[in-house]
Every structure is written in structure tokens, then in C-alpha cells.
Amino acid sequence: MTEEENNSFNLVCPPIIRDKKNITLGHGSGGLLTHELINTTFKKILTNPILDEGNDGALISLPAYKGKLVVSTDAHIVSPLFYPGGDIGRLAISGTVNDVAMMGADPLYLTASFVIEEGFSLELLEKVALSMKSTCEEAGVIIIAGDTKVTEKGKGDGLYISTTGIGWLPEGRDIQGQNALKGDAIILSGTIGDHATAILQARGELGFQSNVTSDVAPLNKMLEELIKQVQDIHVMRDPTRGGLGTTLVEIAKQSNVCIQIEETSLPIKKEVKTVCELLGFDPLYMANEGKVVIILPEEKCNIALEILQKHKYGQNAVRIGSVIDNKQPRVLLRTPLGSNRVIEMLMGEMLPRIC
Ligand code: MG
């Protein structure tokens, strides 16, 4: 017998450690415990006919009308996992649904991949799955495929979730970052900095009690209503990580236009302003998870605002500026004194693990 063959006899399977309360390495083995976890948590909560088939891949049908597939993917490593107004589950669904919706597409399906640290509470995992379920229901999407991996204790931080979204873009819709035109109006759907403030609150970094909750929400239903009534929207983008400032610079560069926004028109909650003053943050770079920037022809601005303001996620929608020329790609912030400040992209990382 060679040494190699001899060694193969020494491979002994460790005994199954059954822990009814916490995730064990066995839950990521692909064996019995993984199946138990999938059946008693993920499949039980997120059940739908496609997910329940249990094959290596999900078979999906796309709408019968002409169009294009829109796909987006995102990893979520937010810390802490639960914070005022949201949690990693709601974030993982909303973030990906919104990225698909920003293209003007109708989000249909999601996949979800979980990286869980050994020792993570099963009760918390169920809480996250339930939050994903309710957010999926709100957005009208289903999770059709998933994966679970377990890292050893100390080699992860509780839970990470990656989601991929699939949506259908009806033929004729063209909403993209490069479509902003000189003369367009710029709308923001509500207050900025709420998500970042809620995360800071949850981390105990504020030093005072704030009532600001995260704005994390799926925006696709509101945007579908808007697109149906206002057909010539040029750009939509969610100002998430990097904030409104970074998002506007991205669009200015993609469209090769100069964007001017009015400082006095920016909707910011008083408490968020206070947080920024105390901690030295600029609200323009504070993360949002339930807001959208919409760029559209000037003459469509008022009707779009009316539609948005009727929706719970767009109540505080306002016009914040205009696309003023197509000579130099940049973003200008006009101050109350009438001077212009050039807005750059966020440099470095202001708040790690925000989403
Ligand atoms: Mg986005």
C-alpha cells in the first residue's frame, strides 16, 4: 500500500454537531445540515414554485412582449445587521431591485447568496429571511435561486448577502446615465443622508439620540407609475454609497454635461444636518438607500413631481437643479450667496460597511 492510499483510509468524517440555535460549519457542508437549513429557513420563508423545484439552476420565463433583459448584482456587508428603519435583508432586496429599476426595467427575479459565520444565531437568520420576504412582496419580485456558505468563527462578520436582480425592459424605454441633455431639470425624490445617519446611530457613533431612520426601500413601484405617465425620462440613478454628490458627478461625466444644483433646495432633515456639523460630514456624500435622482425635460418636471409626491417614498420630492450646458462635464453647487462650488466624487471611504 502506498503512503497516499494509506492516508485515504485515515480520512474520518467529523461527527455532525447539531446546534439548534446557531449556525455550525456543517450548515455550509452541502450535506444534511445544509439541506435542513435550506428547508427549514430559506425555502420555508422564501417559498415560490421556481425556488421550490430545487434544481441546480432556475428555469424562468420572460414576458411575452419585446424588450431587453436587465441584470444587476450587489454584495451587502452592512454593519450592524439591524439598524433603525431597516436591516441587511431589506437592504439586499431593495438595493438590487432599485438598480434594475433605475434602468426603467421591471424587476422580476432575484438570486441570493449568503455567507454566514459559524456561530451566527439561527433566530437572527430567520429574522433576516422574513425581512427579505416582506421586501420581495412589496417590490413584487421572487427569489428563484440561492446559495449558502459558512465561514469559520472569526473569519466573517456574522452575515453577508449578495443578490443579483433580473428585470425586463420594455422596448422603446431608454433611461441611462449618458442621456442627460442641456436644459433638463433634475429632481431628487426626498431627503438625503438618512441611511448613513441611521447606521451611525446604530453603531453608537452619534453621541446623542436621533429619530432618523434609514430610507431603505424598493422604489420600483413608484418609478413604474412615473415612467408610465412621463415617457421621456432621460436618467434615473439611486444616490447610494458615495451620496448625491458622487452620483451627479457620474452622470455629468457619462452625459458630458454641466449640472448645477441649488444648495438651498436640497432636502436634508434637521437632525442629519446636525450630525454632519458635529461629525464633519458633507450631506452630499452621505449614503441613501431609498432615493432616486431623475433627469428629464424641463416641461415634464412639474407633472413628475406631482406623481412622485403622491407616493410614500416620494413625498418630499423636489427639483434640485438643471443641466446647464454641454461644454464641460462637472457639477456645480450654487450656494445661498450665489457663488458656485465645484462638486467632486467622494474621495476615499467616509463610512465603511454602510451597505
Ligand atoms: Mg445604483
Side-chain angles (χ1 to χ4, degrees):
M1 191 179 285
T2 65
E3 202 180 323
E4 204 175 296
E5 281 167 328
N6 190 25
N7 277 346
S8 72
F9 285 108
N10 292 334
L11 288 175
V12 181
C13 229
I16 290 182
I17 301 166
R18 281 193 182 270
D19 183 336
K20 289 226 161 86
K21 288 195 169 154
N22 300 300
I23 291 288
T24 62
L25 285 175
H27 284 118
S29 67
L32 182 70
L33 286 181
T34 306
H35 281 82
E36 273 183 21
L37 176 68
I38 290 171
N39 289 329
T40 56
T41 303
F42 296 126
K43 262 197 190 170
K44 190 182 91 189
I45 292 170
L46 302 167
T47 178
N48 64 69
I50 303 177
L51 184 69
D52 295 348
E53 274 166 10
N55 290 316
D56 277 355
L59 283 168
I60 54 172
S61 313
L62 293 171
Y65 54 90
K66 276 191 172 176
K68 277 186 178 161
L69 208 56
V70 173
V71 179
S72 187
T73 193
D74 218 337
H76 304 273
I77 58 165
V78 69
S79 173
L81 299 173
F82 296 85
Y83 45 87
D87 59 81
I88 191 170
R90 182 164 175 80
L91 179 69
I93 303 300
S94 303
T96 299
V97 160
N98 289 346
D99 278 342
V100 171
M102 292 303 140
M103 302 294 294
D106 182 17
L108 300 170
Y109 305 114
L110 255 63
T111 70
S113 157
F114 299 80
V115 177
I116 317 170
E117 186 187 355
E118 181 186 10
F120 190 75
S121 149
L122 276 165
E123 194 188 329
L124 283 186
L125 190 64
E126 194 166 311
K127 219 172 142 188
V128 170
L130 285 166
S131 173
M132 292 174 86
K133 175 192 161 85
S134 68
T135 315
C136 279
E137 283 169 358
E138 184 184 347
V141 297
I142 54 173
I143 293 178
I144 54 164
D147 184 47
T148 307
K149 297 277 158 54
V150 178
T151 65
E152 304 99 305
K153 203 166 184 55
K155 301 226 169 139
D157 187 12
L159 174 67
Y160 305 138
I161 307 176
S162 287
T163 45
T164 296
I166 299 166
W168 192 245
L169 179 73
E171 199 175 41
R173 276 190 199 173
D174 179 24
I175 301 174
Q176 294 189 61
Q178 58 266 44
N179 291 352
L181 293 175
K182 182 181 172 181
D184 280 353
I186 304 170
I187 288 173
L188 176 65
S189 65
T191 53
I192 51 172
D194 299 1
H195 177 72
T197 304
I199 295 289
L200 284 166
Q201 166 80 57
R203 288 183 191 167
E205 286 174 23
L206 285 189
F208 63 91
Q209 190 62 37
S210 126
N211 293 317
V212 177
T213 55
S214 167
D215 54 355
V216 58
L219 301 175
N220 58 316
K221 296 290 176 194
M222 175 175 82
L223 295 178
E224 189 61 32
E225 252 176 79
L226 177 72
I227 297 168
K228 275 191 182 140
Q229 295 181 66
V230 182
Q231 274 127 23
D232 39 7
I233 291 168
H234 292 159
V235 184
M236 296 199 296
R237 188 158 294 175
D238 50 348
T240 51
R241 210 172 23 151
L244 177 68
T246 303
T247 297
L248 290 175
V249 175
E250 280 169 14
I251 297 169
K253 288 190 173 179
Q254 267 186 280
S255 290
N256 205 23
V257 292
C258 176
I259 284 171
Q260 187 178 51
I261 56 169
E262 305 288 333
E263 193 174 353
T264 52
S265 66
L266 292 178
I268 309 172
K269 285 182 180 143
K270 223 173 155 186
E271 282 167 296
V272 174
K273 263 188 195 160
T274 308
V275 168
C276 287
E277 279 161 16
L278 286 175
L279 301 179
F281 292 138
D282 186 335
L284 277 175
Y285 300 111
M286 296 278 271
N288 313 280
E289 290 295 341
K291 296 289 151 44
V292 52
V293 172
I294 299 161
I295 304 186
L296 74 181
E298 168 80 43
E299 66 273 17
K300 297 294 168 72
C301 183
N302 286 341
I303 175 75
L305 281 173
E306 243 173 68
I307 296 162
L308 291 169
Q309 285 162 357
K310 276 187 202 144
H311 200 280
K312 64 176 167 178
Y313 297 138
Q315 280 172 39
N316 299 313
V318 283
R319 177 176 185 170
I320 57 164
S322 311
V323 179
I324 56 170
D325 72 46
N326 46 11
K327 288 177 196 127
Q328 197 185 355
R330 59 181 183 159
V331 176
L332 302 173
L333 176 78
R334 194 154 69 175
T335 67
L337 297 171
S339 59
N340 278 312
R341 176 184 144 202
V342 177
I343 301 299
E344 307 284 357
M345 281 194 184
L346 173 65
M347 292 282 281
E349 179 67 287
M350 196 167 79
L351 288 171
R353 311 268 310 265
I354 195 86
C355 59

